[in-house]
Each structure stands twice: as C-alpha cells, then as structure tokens.
Amino acid sequence: MKKALLAAISMMAIGALAGPALADGELHIYNWGNYTNPDLIKKFEETYKVKVTMDDYDSNETMLSKVRAGNSGYDIVVPTDYTVQIMIGEGLLEKTEPSQMENFKNVRPEFVNVYWDDGRHYSVPWQFGTTTFTVNIAKYKGDINTLAILFDTPADLKGRINMLDDINSVMHAAERYLGIPRCGDDKANLKKLNDLLQKAKPDWRTFSYDTQAKMLSGDVDVTQDWNGDSFRIRQKLPTATYAWPKEGIEGWMDNVTVLKGAKNLENAKLFQNFIMDPKNAALISDFAGYDNGIKDSHQYAANPDWASSPEINIPKDAPTPEFVKPCSPEVVAIYNKIWTNLRK
C-alpha cells in the first residue's frame, strides 16, 4: 500500500512537470463491443485524471448511423479503414494531426501512408487483423483452408455454421470464392453473387457477431470471424482452428478517430497519443487478441504465446490479406438489396 502511494505521488509529480499531461474532465468513447481492455482505460484515467465513459456497437454501419444523426455525445469512435475514408469524406472527423504527436514515431511504417488516411491526419491504429472463419477440427477432418466450407458446405457441417451479421464481410467472402472483383458493378457478377448466397444460406445456422458464445457453447462448429477472436476462442476450445482460405483473405484495421465538434477534444487527442505508446498498445492486444500496428509492443504482451500464435501470423503460403476500399453508392445500393433478401 505504501509503495503504491509513493508511486502515485511520483506519477503526479512527473505529470506536473510535463505540463500538458495534467488533464481533467471527461472522455466519451464509442467502440466495438468486447474490444477494450478495462486496464487500459483505468491507466488512462489515472494518468490524466480524466473520467472515461464507454458505449459499444456491433458494426461500422450502426456507429455511422448514430454519428450521422448528430448529437451523439461521443468524442471518440473506432471505425474500420473503409469507414474512416467515408467519415473523412463526409466531414465527420476532426483533423487532429496524429502524425505530429509525440508517440507517432512508434507507428509501424506500413501503417502511416494508408489509403483511408494518407499520412495520418485523422486517425491512429487501434488493432488490425484478418477475417476468415474458425473450424472446430474435432468435428470436421477435411481441408479447412477454402471458402467452400462456407459456400459449398460439406455434409458434416451443414446447419453448423454461423456467419457474421456483416454485409461487407459476407459479400466480399462470396466474391472471393466466385473469383469476381470486390465492389464490382457488373450485373452478371452481381447475379452470381446473389445466387451463391441464396444457395448457401440453407446450410448456415445463424447470422451473429457473438462468435465466441456460438463456438464455445457448441451451437455451431464453424463461425466466420476475425483472427483475434479466433485466438480467444482457442484459449478455451483447443480444437478451434483459424482458416487461411486459398481464395483470398480479408484484411482490416480499426482506428481511433475524434468526432467533429467533440466536446472533449483535447482529452481525445491525449487518448490518441496514449495508445501509440508500445506498453499501452500491448494492453489493447492483451485483451482482444489482435495485433496493433505499434512498433515494439509485442515485447510487453502479457500472454507469451500471443505474438507467435497461428492466428496472428499469416502462413507464407497463404494469400496476402486484401484491404477493400469503400464501394460506390450504386454498388452499395445493390448490395443492400441482396442483403435484405438474404436476411429475410
């Protein structure tokens, strides 16, 4: 207790010398569910004397709808790459200039000049990963590294599959299986896409983001999901195996951004800088299991098996993950019609 008190006093003294590190007030964060380490938030609160409140969402579309409606009350949101580009285009984000922040030097070079925010004027990395699917290989012994698992389902897995309730992940996976372009507007290809999804749907059990519960309860034997999520499933179900389908892999990065007109703008900027510290980035990955885009963070990981795990490290013979830019409004409209019909 005495050591803890002395440490706290020391931290306060250091903060006093640092000047800007002494903050106060509030910060309101809107992030994906089950995605934020409480220890990270506690550390930020104690470092800057800022009270953080959090709400969560289950899709970029849910978050974007709320933000577009206005007066959300949030300072920070955590959109995926393509959504960042959309939000910048619509004037929904503050230009916080992360590239000028103290900890920006820690961002991995490949994540500086990114298509969604070239040079990082609005966003900083939160976590990145891939989207394929996880199979319980105790229930299925065949080849899992193919999207045929989802779209030409083997007899052993029919009715045992959960798909993400995510229009883009489902659509783009089907396009990869068909060998047609992502976001293409060719009517013949869009018909092939619709036909494939309608054919596959009877072999699926559910559409849900609650992938861990689905797999761990035994409700399904396959779930479309993300690599960090699959890592967390495997900690409790050792036979859960993440697939690297030969037809292609979805890549993505979630990013911390600040909403235009954020009430707690300076605290939001502090948070952006805070998570670019390798020790803090490691806390993010410790909780959710994804890589984070910050140099030297792996050495601080609490789980020594995480950095070398098969979910995080892409096999040399697997396709390079593809980051898909936003589709045109015309294609989005057609996607929405296909999706609405699929979800009936």
Side-chain angles (χ1 to χ4, degrees):
M1 179 70 76
K2 187 174 181 181
K3 289 183 178 179
L5 179 60
L6 289 172
I9 292 171
S10 297
M11 285 180 64
M12 291 174 66
I14 291 168
L17 292 173
L22 270 181
D24 56 29
E26 301 178 347
L27 182 65
H28 301 280
I29 299 175
Y30 195 31
N31 198 358
W32 297 80
N34 197 24
Y35 203 39
T36 308
N37 191 338
D39 291 339
L40 177 82
I41 299 303
K42 181 180 179 182
K43 183 177 180 182
F44 179 78
E45 288 181 321
E46 292 178 348
T47 301
Y48 296 109
K49 314 308 176 200
V50 171
K51 175 63 178 175
V52 176
T53 58
M54 290 197 57
D55 289 321
D56 59 66
Y57 52 86
D58 60 7
S59 72
N60 286 291
E61 289 69 31
T62 297
M63 178 275 292
L64 194 52
S65 177
K66 193 174 187 80
V67 171
R68 282 170 170 162
N71 300 315
S72 69
Y74 299 114
D75 303 304
I76 281 176
V77 293
V78 189
T80 304
D81 45 80
Y82 71 93
T83 311
V84 174
Q85 187 177 61
I86 291 170
M87 296 180 80
I88 291 173
E90 295 184 12
L92 298 174
L93 300 179
E94 286 283 354
K95 198 172 187 179
T96 55
E97 298 295 357
S99 62
Q100 298 177 20
M101 295 178 180
E102 179 185 0
N103 286 332
F104 189 76
K105 62 183 181 293
N106 299 317
V107 175
R108 285 164 51 172
E110 64 267 35
F111 293 122
V112 173
N113 295 312
V114 290
Y115 84 78
W116 58 91
D117 183 14
D118 191 14
R120 294 287 186 178
H121 300 287
Y122 298 85
S123 66
V124 302
W126 177 255
Q127 292 182 98
F128 75 94
T130 58
T131 307
T132 69
F133 53 91
T134 298
V135 181
N136 183 351
I137 60 172
K139 303 292 185 179
Y140 180 71
K141 303 298 184 182
D143 177 21
I144 69 168
N145 292 316
T146 170
L147 287 166
I149 295 286
L150 305 180
F151 300 112
D152 276 312
T153 304
D156 291 351
L157 295 174
K158 289 183 183 293
R160 305 294 302 160
I161 294 176
N162 174 65
M163 298 294 286
L164 291 174
D165 197 4
D166 185 290
I167 183 171
N168 288 307
S169 291
V170 173
M171 294 285 190
H172 295 332
E175 288 166 338
R176 290 185 182 95
Y177 186 59
L178 288 169
I180 61 177
R182 259 56 71 208
C183 298
D185 60 1
D186 182 84
K187 290 183 179 179
N189 282 341
L190 288 166
K191 183 180 186 305
K192 290 178 183 177
L193 177 62
N194 181 69
D195 290 347
L196 177 66
L197 292 170
Q198 289 295 331
K199 179 186 74 70
K201 181 182 176 181
D203 295 333
W204 302 338
R205 185 178 182 89
T206 49
F207 288 86
S208 175
Y209 285 106
D210 199 7
T211 56
Q212 294 181 47
K214 291 286 183 184
M215 286 292 285
L216 295 176
S217 69
D219 189 44
V220 298
D221 299 320
V222 176
T223 185
Q224 190 181 28
D225 66 351
W226 316 275
N227 60 327
D229 193 66
S230 185
F231 171 79
R232 294 169 78 179
I233 292 171
R234 184 170 59 82
Q235 305 312 296
K236 297 179 180 179
L237 181 65
T239 53
T241 304
Y242 191 64
W244 299 100
K246 61 186 179 184
E247 298 88 354
I249 296 165
E250 176 182 328
W252 52 266
M253 173 171 271
D254 291 332
N255 308 263
V256 172
T257 63
V258 181
L259 290 177
K260 192 76 171 180
K263 182 179 178 181
N264 302 292
L265 175 60
E266 294 307 314
N267 288 342
K269 289 180 180 180
L270 283 176
F271 190 77
Q272 284 187 314
N273 186 61
F274 179 79
I275 64 169
M276 291 188 287
D277 181 290
K279 292 181 179 179
N280 298 332
L283 286 173
I284 299 172
S285 295
D286 282 342
F287 183 80
Y290 300 94
D291 211 341
N292 54 63
I294 302 300
K295 292 182 291 187
D296 301 324
S297 63
H298 289 192
Q299 64 182 299
Y300 300 111
N303 185 340
D305 298 327
W306 168 76
S308 61
S309 70
E311 296 87 1
I312 301 302
N313 295 279
I314 301 171
K316 292 181 179 180
D317 59 350
T320 300
E322 176 190 23
F323 287 71
V324 181
K325 296 181 180 181
C327 301
S328 70
E330 293 76 18
V331 171
V332 169
I334 297 171
Y335 272 10
N336 286 337
K337 290 179 181 178
I338 293 172
W339 185 253
T340 299
N341 192 37
L342 184 69
R343 297 294 281 111
K344 285 181 179 176

